[in-house]
Amino acid sequence: MPHIHPETELHNPQSTKPPLDPHLKALENEAIHIFREVAAEFERPVMLYSIGKDSSVLLHLARKAFYPGRVPFPLLHVDTGWKFREMIAFRDEMVEKYDLDLVAHTNPRGAAENVTPFSHGSALYTDIMKTEALRQALDAGQYDAAFGGARRDEEASRAKERIYSFRTPDHRWDPRNQRPELWNVYNGMIRKGESVRAFPLSNWTEVDIWRYIQAEEIPIVPLYFAKKRPIVERDGMMILAEDPRLELLPGEAKREEVIRFRTLGCFPLTGAIRSNATTLDDIISELETATVSERQGRAIDRDQAGSMEKKKREGYF
Amino acid sequence: MTAPALANAALDETAVALPSQEPARVARDSRPLRLITCGSVDDGKSTLIGRLLWDTKAVKEDQAASLQRDSKGKQNDLGLPDFALLLDGLQAEREQGITIDVAYRYFSTDKRSFIVADTPGHEQYTRNMATGASTADLAVLLVDARVGLLEQTRRHATIATLMGIKQFVLAVNKIDLTDYDRSRFEQISHEFKELALSLGVRQVTAIPVSALKGENVVYDGRASMPWYEGPTLIEVLELATTRSAQTVGFRLPVQRVSRPGESFRGYQGTVAGGSVKPGDSVVILPSGMVANVTKIVTFDLVRNAAVAGDAITLVLDRQVDVSRGDMIAAIDSQPMTGLAFDAQLVALQAEGIQPGKRYWLKSGSRRQRVQVQPISQLDLKSGKWNHADELPMNAIGKVHLAFDEQAIFDAYEQNRTTGAFILIDPDTNNTVAGGMITAKRAAIGGIHTEDSRVILSLPADLADQLMATEIFANRREDAEVRRVTAAKAIEIVDAIDE
Ligand SMILES: Nc1nc2c(ncn2[C@@H]2O[C@H](COP(=O)(O)OP(=O)(O)OP(=O)(O)O)[C@@H](O)[C@H]2O)c(=O)[nH]1
Ligand SMILES: [Mg+2]
């Protein structure tokens, strides 16, 4: 049955954007509903901001949800110290442009014990610089709710997670005992010290994210677009070779390739893909014919079977 | 894509210039269809969805490689991968070979997109099945062709119906293990249609399926089942309808009040029914104050109306006291307000529902104290409602709700948002029940005070049609039904007149 588009939207004269299609509109409405519900029910919410495409969408939705007011909670960036340079520049630009409160936290053990992805291996490094750092930052801020940009289509254990995901005082997730979550009636009742992770993008797919970025003209880090960049090949991944801390191993050589990134994290652990996609149109059509999933380029997901669930149980996002 | 556009030579150039503007693969001119798989343990729900994802090419190469790897040692006789592993993503699920919690997955065909919730069959995890059912438009109910309908099949069919699902697909699965036995398929379909009728469900499509081999899922199974001429599962899903827009008046449960400065005061929430436009008169409940809508504010659009589902900010023409949990509603079509309501619910936790205990009830953005009095419990075998003082875990029951402060509801049948609620145990903070409002009660005494009754004598086919309606199904326990011969009916009615 063809959908009858309700004649409810008049164009804002300043905007050149056509109205969203019903599919994206439904996803947007759901996300805004979740943002408002959490902001109203919790005392100290915070939004995890990882600077990637999902975070960009999340931020955009937060601004929409509370318009004409300001975003009523801070953004938290867990900075491992190994993010792409362009990510940090982009983050600071957004904070300035949209008048946001940013809390950036780096685990002091990183500097004290010299924890790097090279010296400690990706699993231990992630435990310390991401999971442990996140717990430190959440405890320090005494946040009782934290928004995250995770999507259920990313990974099999994420597909099981609730929109309000309950965490014990030590931030653990118990996947065997999740609260029932019926309709869009969310149970936000917790005791002191406990918290909830809230996922407004739960029902979005990767294609939805890109189509929404395009429709809403949302700014994203330029690393998502193809360009000639210096790389080095390691463990079957193409790693960006622009940071002086990346030491070449015997037999490795820097070269230039036209590449882009499908996800962004810590540069030594994030593989680039060969691509000529320089526009959003290109990215979307590339995605619709892609034969591999987006997490394929991530070293941390490949360490062991069920590794995401394990990390999540320990407090990872 | 529409064919006429392609025939139009003038449009050809545009079509070439914008190659990827309109990806042909995915239609997005409507909301995605939300569906669940349900049924008893091991009937093949996860395998079916895995197969559906596989055959619609939603499984990427790296995921397929992990599936092949994980299937090692668990290979079935046919040498096919264990498709259920695409869904059963938790360690405990993989170890035990069962589903524990709902998995949500997304896929699409060139006709539409789908959100599917794969729910667990195990009785212990009924709460997770209810979680999936609450938002679904359609249920795929699986039955093992060798086993037939079980109590758990009935439980899931009943919960799905209570939660407002009106479209069912009966997948008679593992048909390959019965040698594609047609009479077995027909017998089970018949049995289920009887059950469906008693639940008030009219839309049932029965399909013989082998989830494992992919027969009648996306590809037809004609080679092994030449006797089956009906649609495949995917064909039924492509034609199913999404939950229709709710017809009752305008409803806006207020989530928060936005006061960025002295000059602006807006009420934020998601429209839960009807529509609204500037100039409309509205009432604020429970206070009963009246105001007019001046503006509908959203981030980037000047709106002249908003409809059910829209997340908006509403501005009113006068200073009224509105806070979170209040409802702004159409003045000429208001929801019910009161201190006592009738409801049906599903008990979701081990403690069950205790009589007289005070729970938190949350509906929309409103949370308040409630006392719950169980009245009856559904006996799944007989379909009868038996008297009950408390409801154990997984029970489906009828209850009376008593509030300290005014509550605001529509009947669930009329509005799936303002008629739904959850109960939260104040001792554990856990969600212990999902409920659906059926009616408002007078504060004292029941609603059926005058004890008058009507005896109808009808032709059997007409009676069946009437009993298949929702109105009837919801009050089934209030009715006495006897099947008799026409002669006997005349005799009885005559006896009354005498
Ligand atoms: N031969 C045959 N086996 C099947 C078919 N469908 C499922 N199976 C097998 O039945 C077993 C149970 O399948 P699952 O998909 O895990 O069942 P389920 O309904 O999801 O189980 P729960 O979620 O735990 O309730 C597996 O070993 C499947 O391979 C089928 O059509 N034919
Ligand atoms: Mg299963």
Side-chain angles (χ1 to χ4, degrees):
Chain A
M1 210 177 67
H3 181 89
I4 297 138
H5 205 83
E7 293 292 324
T8 57
E9 294 179 359
L10 274 189
H11 237 117
N12 185 329
Q14 287 119 43
S15 168
T16 53
K17 291 181 288 184
L20 286 174
D21 66 51
H23 177 92
L24 290 178
K25 189 75 202 165
L27 291 171
E28 179 188 78
N29 282 328
E30 179 182 58
I32 291 177
H33 182 85
I34 296 161
F35 265 118
R36 289 172 171 173
E37 199 62 12
V38 173
E41 280 199 304
F42 291 85
E43 274 163 35
R44 292 181 64 82
V46 68
M47 185 181 118
L48 269 288
Y49 180 64
S50 73
I51 322 173
K53 62 182 192 304
D54 302 312
S55 283
S56 294
V57 168
L58 203 60
L59 175 59
H60 184 75
L61 289 163
R63 292 176 57 232
K64 280 194 148 184
F66 302 106
Y67 178 87
R70 257 180 116 227
V71 175
F73 39 75
L75 271 55
L76 171 63
H77 178 223
V78 174
D79 190 352
T80 57
W82 294 89
K83 298 293 168 188
F84 292 86
R85 264 201 330 250
E86 283 176 75
M87 289 173 73
I88 303 299
F90 180 86
R91 176 194 77 185
D92 296 341
E93 197 188 311
M94 291 298 114
V95 167
E96 166 92 31
K97 187 169 168 190
Y98 297 134
D99 180 28
L100 304 164
D101 300 326
L102 178 80
V103 179
H105 174 75
T106 305
N107 189 343
R109 277 179 70 189
E113 297 169 29
N114 197 28
V115 181
T116 75
F118 309 117
S119 56
H120 287 64
S122 68
L124 187 57
Y125 161 82
T126 304
D127 273 353
I128 299 170
M129 296 311 287
K130 291 171 100 171
T131 311
E132 187 179 293
L134 176 63
R135 287 200 301 253
Q136 290 168 346
L138 292 175
D139 287 341
Q142 292 183 301
Y143 301 116
D144 54 359
F147 294 100
R151 291 176 281 111
R152 286 169 174 158
D153 88 322
E154 284 177 79
E155 199 268 342
S157 68
R158 290 238 197 260
K160 300 267 165 183
E161 197 159 10
R162 299 282 190 261
I163 286 175
Y164 271 35
S165 184
F166 178 83
R167 301 301 157 106
T168 60
D170 53 356
H171 305 286
R172 283 170 192 279
W173 179 51
D174 181 0
R176 298 201 55 167
N177 263 313
Q178 300 195 83
R179 289 177 177 175
E181 189 165 85
L182 295 100
W183 302 285
N184 62 353
V185 189
Y186 303 108
N187 176 356
M189 296 194 63
I190 54 169
R191 291 201 185 86
K192 204 167 165 45
E194 296 170 342
S195 65
V196 154
R197 307 265 170 102
F199 300 110
L201 304 181
S202 287
N203 290 320
W204 297 52
T205 66
E206 192 185 7
V207 179
D208 294 331
I209 292 289
W210 284 110
R211 291 182 60 255
Y212 189 72
I213 287 171
Q214 182 175 50
E216 293 283 293
E217 298 162 9
I218 300 171
I220 48 167
V221 181
L223 290 163
Y224 285 111
F225 297 105
K227 204 177 120 180
K228 191 180 261 183
R229 296 185 171 98
I231 59 116
V232 60
E233 214 152 317
R234 182 176 292 178
D235 300 332
M237 289 195 312
M238 289 186 288
I239 300 173
L240 191 70
E242 58 168 21
D243 192 301
R245 291 174 297 174
L246 178 73
E247 287 169 24
L248 295 191
L249 302 174
E252 285 181 348
K254 245 195 235 191
R255 63 168 197 273
E256 300 233 302
E257 289 257 9
V258 178
I259 52 143
R260 66 178 203 89
F261 292 86
R262 222 171 135 181
T263 66
L264 292 177
C266 298
F267 77 83
L269 302 176
T270 309
I273 55 169
R274 278 192 190 84
S275 163
N276 293 316
T278 54
T279 65
L280 290 169
D281 275 345
D282 293 346
I283 290 176
I284 292 167
S285 57
E286 185 180 282
L287 212 61
E288 294 197 318
T289 53
T291 55
V292 294
S293 78
E294 68 188 301
R295 301 202 78 85
Q296 211 232 0
R298 290 216 177 177
I300 71 160
D301 294 343
R302 295 190 300 189
D303 283 342
Q304 63 182 108
S307 65
M308 178 62 82
E309 178 183 345
K310 188 170 162 290
K311 282 198 279 290
K312 288 177 69 63
R313 283 163 172 274
E314 289 159 0
Y316 183 72
F317 243 83
Chain B
M1 251 193 229
T2 43
L6 297 177
N8 190 333
L11 288 178
D12 273 355
E13 253 181 48
T14 342
V16 174
L18 303 167
S20 50
Q21 278 294 75
E22 236 183 34
R25 283 182 52 236
V26 190
R28 295 175 205 276
D29 57 351
S30 62
R31 287 194 300 118
L33 182 81
R34 301 187 71 128
L35 65 132
I36 54 165
T37 50
C38 55
S40 191
V41 72
D42 266 355
D43 284 352
K45 299 175 288 297
S46 303
T47 307
L48 181 69
I49 295 308
R51 179 48 100 164
L52 207 50
L53 295 172
W54 188 267
D55 286 349
T56 55
K57 316 275 182 294
V59 180
K60 302 289 183 188
E61 276 170 17
D62 51 319
Q63 296 161 333
S66 343
L67 175 64
Q68 297 286 3
R69 217 172 31 243
D70 298 344
S71 296
K72 286 256 160 61
K74 298 182 193 172
Q75 219 94 336
N76 31 60
D77 310 341
L78 302 162
L80 291 165
D82 184 353
F83 293 108
L85 292 177
L86 289 170
L87 282 298
D88 292 337
L90 300 176
Q91 293 278 285
E93 295 178 323
R94 288 160 171 262
E95 280 157 25
Q96 297 172 43
I98 58 161
T99 303
I100 292 173
D101 212 332
V102 208
Y104 294 91
R105 297 299 297 258
Y106 311 82
F107 68 98
S108 46
T109 65
D110 52 4
K111 299 220 170 56
R112 78 180 331 166
S113 59
F114 302 89
I115 300 179
V116 49
D118 176 42
T119 75
H122 209 287
E123 185 178 348
Q124 186 187 346
Y125 304 115
T126 301
R127 59 175 181 272
N128 299 330
M129 179 272 168
T131 291
S134 65
T135 50
D137 303 301
L138 177 146
V140 179
L141 186 72
L142 277 87
V143 176
D144 185 327
R146 300 166 301 176
V147 182
L149 301 192
L150 295 170
E151 177 169 326
Q152 186 67 347
T153 323
R154 292 172 189 274
R155 177 176 285 109
H156 279 186
T158 310
I159 293 173
T161 322
L162 281 181
M163 296 202 154
I165 299 176
K166 297 188 166 55
Q167 308 170 84
F168 279 79
V169 173
L170 177 76
V172 180
N173 190 34
K174 307 196 187 183
I175 196 80
D176 53 305
L177 299 179
T178 68
D179 248 340
Y180 302 96
D181 184 347
R182 178 180 190 166
S183 62
R184 188 77 193 124
F185 166 70
E186 281 167 358
Q187 181 194 343
I188 293 171
S189 318
H190 180 75
E191 220 178 300
F192 180 70
K193 280 180 182 156
E194 298 249 291
L195 171 64
L197 207 64
S198 73
L199 292 170
V201 175
R202 276 155 294 169
Q203 276 197 53
V204 182
T205 312
I207 308 176
V209 163
S210 171
L212 188 60
K213 298 174 77 173
E215 292 168 321
N216 287 333
V217 182
V218 171
Y219 302 107
D220 69 61
R222 224 160 278 151
S224 5
M225 291 167 270
W227 46 265
Y228 176 73
E229 286 169 349
T232 61
L233 175 61
I234 197 78
E235 284 166 355
V236 178
L237 299 183
E238 284 178 340
L239 291 175
T241 50
T242 49
R243 216 196 312 174
S244 57
Q246 282 131 352
T247 48
V248 291
F250 171 65
R251 306 279 182 265
L252 185 77
V254 177
Q255 287 183 283
R256 61 192 295 277
V257 180
S258 169
R259 290 214 70 178
E262 281 306 305
S263 59
F264 185 90
R265 191 184 179 94
Y267 306 106
Q268 303 190 313
T270 305
V271 180
S275 62
V276 67
K277 57 185 190 315
D280 282 359
S281 296
V282 292
V283 59
I284 291 103
L285 296 171
S287 73
M289 282 186 294
V290 171
N292 299 307
V293 174
T294 51
K295 252 195 296 191
I296 302 164
V297 177
T298 63
F299 184 75
D300 48 2
L301 294 165
V302 180
R303 304 198 78 160
N304 58 5
V307 296
D310 289 341
I312 59 166
T313 301
L314 207 64
V315 180
L316 302 179
D317 67 342
R318 67 195 78 167
Q319 283 283 351
V320 277
D321 186 13
V322 184
S323 48
R324 172 174 167 81
D326 289 354
M327 172 115 64
I328 302 178
I331 203 160
D332 53 358
S333 165
Q334 300 187 20
M336 304 178 276
T337 54
L339 295 173
F341 286 84
D342 285 336
Q344 300 185 327
L345 56 75
V346 185
L348 302 172
Q349 303 291 354
E351 316 85 74
I353 295 296
Q354 306 299 323
K357 177 165 174 158
R358 286 160 62 76
Y359 293 92
W360 284 109
L361 178 145
K362 192 178 176 195
S363 173
S365 56
R366 190 172 179 82
R367 199 182 76 195
Q368 57 191 128
R369 287 294 193 153
V370 66
Q371 214 169 336
V372 183
Q373 190 58 54
I375 302 300
S376 59
Q377 179 183 345
L378 183 66
D379 176 10
L380 291 161
K381 282 202 196 72
S382 66
K384 285 216 163 68
W385 292 88
N386 297 331
H387 174 82
D389 291 320
E390 57 185 282
L391 297 170
M393 172 149 107
N394 300 329
I396 297 164
K398 299 201 174 201
V399 298
H400 291 170
L401 304 175
F403 296 92
D404 305 342
E405 289 170 16
Q406 292 288 315
I408 311 159
F409 293 111
D410 285 293
Y412 187 73
E413 216 179 275
Q414 253 123 53
N415 191 314
R416 220 170 154 179
T417 307
T418 52
F421 63 88
I422 59 170
L423 293 180
I424 301 167
D425 185 334
D427 301 331
T428 61
N429 284 338
N430 206 347
T431 306
V432 295
M436 286 100 359
I437 296 293
T438 44
K440 180 181 162 178
R441 295 169 55 75
I444 5 155
I447 40 171
H448 321 299
T449 39
E450 356 73 282
D451 254 332
S452 102
R453 303 196 53 103
V454 176
I455 294 177
L456 297 172
S457 168
L458 306 169
D461 63 323
L462 178 57
D464 285 341
Q465 279 179 37
L466 283 177
M467 286 192 287
T469 61
E470 228 170 288
I471 295 176
F472 190 89
N474 280 330
R475 302 271 308 268
R476 181 66 186 79
E477 87 285 11
D478 292 339
E480 288 284 331
V481 180
R482 297 283 184 283
R483 287 177 191 270
V484 294
T485 60
K488 180 80 180 165
I490 292 167
E491 197 180 300
I492 294 167
V493 174
D494 284 351
I496 297 170
D497 292 342
E498 273 161 19

